[in-house]
Amino acid sequence: MNEQRTTSDGDDLHPRLRTFEGRAAATAAHGKDPVNVPMIRHWCEAMGDTHPAYTGPDAVAPPTMLQAWTMGGLSGHDAGSGRSGAYDELFALLDGAGFTSVVATDCEQEYLRPLRPGDEITFDAVIESVSPRKTTKLGTGHFVTTRMDVRTGGELAGTHRFRILKYAPAARAKPPAADAPRRPRPVINRDNRPFWDAVAEHRLLIQRCTGCGTLRFPWLPGCNACASPGWDTVEASGEGTVFSYVVMHHPPFPAFDPPYAVALVELAEGVRMISNITGVPYDKVHIGMPVRLEFLRADAELELPVFRAEGA
């Protein structure tokens, strides 16, 4: 984590938060599945762990999977699984005080015995501590630490201590215009220079193979249909539709101010290109939206083709 320090102002909330310390978050809760070979295999493949102890007839589970056997998955834990409402109550109190964001900060695990395929898992969890209000580079909030004891056959197999920060995000100050970061520069080479020269003239050029007539975008040194190196260009009409899109929320990147929409635009000529959508809020962009080409002056040295929603 970044810098952590206690704020100097009063923390009237902390005494109420401390009443949750020592309260059970789960009692004799059951893992959804016994320790099993498929999950071990998937874990090892994802982690790139090829240790022979995790395969074969005498396989054990990787110790770092300790928490995996306790997780409820996308559907969560069933009612009556042993989970209490204390954790939800604590989060509701923090949310109500404005600490609505969360980030995991660290975890500690202690391994006491290996887990093997077929082991049935039970666990107890307790809210171990809630810190006084702290200020970090992410924002101001409280660290919440939970300890989980994982058992099989009534025997303690390991302990998992997990810490998160519930915080109110720090306000992001916008840099002065003179110091504003520039957009990344496109890589211009002998294969695509005519494209960027045309953009500077407010024209969007599409390559056309002189061997088979196939249009292609982005620009390439040879045809991906017939491999011919010969080409000329066709000027795009500027009309298109949104074929697909994503909305970028995180991570923030210099010169970009999320959230914003990035779309794959299908041009009237049949090729597709990636660009920004302008003229409408990011949450109004939709597949099939008609758009028209325009040119965005990013800075004194850079102009970019973008697409404005029709009628905006």
Side-chain angles (χ1 to χ4, degrees), residues 62-232:
T64 49
M65 285 188 75
L66 185 67
Q67 187 192 20
W69 309 114
T70 70
M71 300 178 81
L74 294 177
S75 60
H77 285 277
D78 299 330
S81 64
R83 296 267 175 165
S84 78
Y87 207 64
D88 292 338
E89 293 173 26
L90 174 59
F91 265 48
L93 183 58
L94 287 163
D95 287 342
F99 305 114
T100 54
S101 296
V102 62
V103 62
T105 62
D106 61 279
C107 73
E108 305 167 14
Q109 292 185 335
E110 181 182 11
Y111 312 119
L112 302 176
R113 59 146 287 180
L115 293 172
R116 303 179 186 279
D119 283 345
E120 298 280 351
I121 298 300
T122 61
F123 57 94
D124 301 297
V126 63
I127 299 169
E128 196 169 64
S129 65
V130 184
S131 77
R133 188 157 54 194
K134 304 283 187 178
T135 297
T136 76
K137 289 186 177 180
L138 287 177
T140 299
H142 296 265
F143 289 90
V144 179
T145 304
T146 306
R147 191 191 76 247
M148 180 181 294
D149 295 330
V150 180
R151 294 179 170 83
T152 182
E155 182 181 357
L156 186 64
T159 298
H160 175 82
R161 182 175 280 105
F162 192 65
R163 186 173 295 109
I164 63 168
L165 172 66
K166 281 284 288 177
Y167 67 99
R172 287 194 302 142
K174 291 188 178 295
D179 299 327
R182 300 193 311 168
R183 284 205 181 204
R185 307 288 101 173
V187 176
I188 301 176
N189 54 38
R190 64 182 182 181
D191 294 321
N192 65 11
R193 182 172 294 280
F195 170 80
W196 290 106
D197 289 345
V199 167
E201 300 170 355
H202 287 192
R203 296 188 299 134
L204 182 66
L205 296 185
I206 304 168
Q207 274 186 315
R208 177 174 59 189
C209 175
T210 54
C212 67
T214 299
L215 299 180
R216 64 179 184 259
F217 196 92
W219 282 39
L220 297 169
C223 179
N224 53 0
C226 72
S228 170
W231 58 271
D232 59 12

Side-chain angles (χ1 to χ4, degrees), residues 3-78:
E3 173 189 1
Q4 304 172 13
R5 66 179 186 273
T6 304
T7 56
S8 58
D9 56 341
D11 186 2
D12 298 333
L13 180 65
H14 189 232
R16 296 171 62 194
L17 298 176
R18 287 200 63 188
T19 64
F20 287 86
E21 293 182 348
R23 289 182 61 180
T27 303
H30 290 268
K32 272 197 162 182
D33 299 285
V35 177
N36 62 83
V37 171
M39 282 184 67
I40 293 173
R41 184 179 69 252
H42 295 163
W43 177 279
C44 290
E45 288 175 355
M47 298 298 177
D49 193 337
T50 59
H51 196 286
Y54 308 141
T55 60
D58 297 320
V60 298
T64 49
M65 285 188 75
L66 185 67
Q67 187 192 20
W69 309 114
T70 70
M71 300 178 81
L74 294 177
S75 60
H77 285 277
D78 299 330

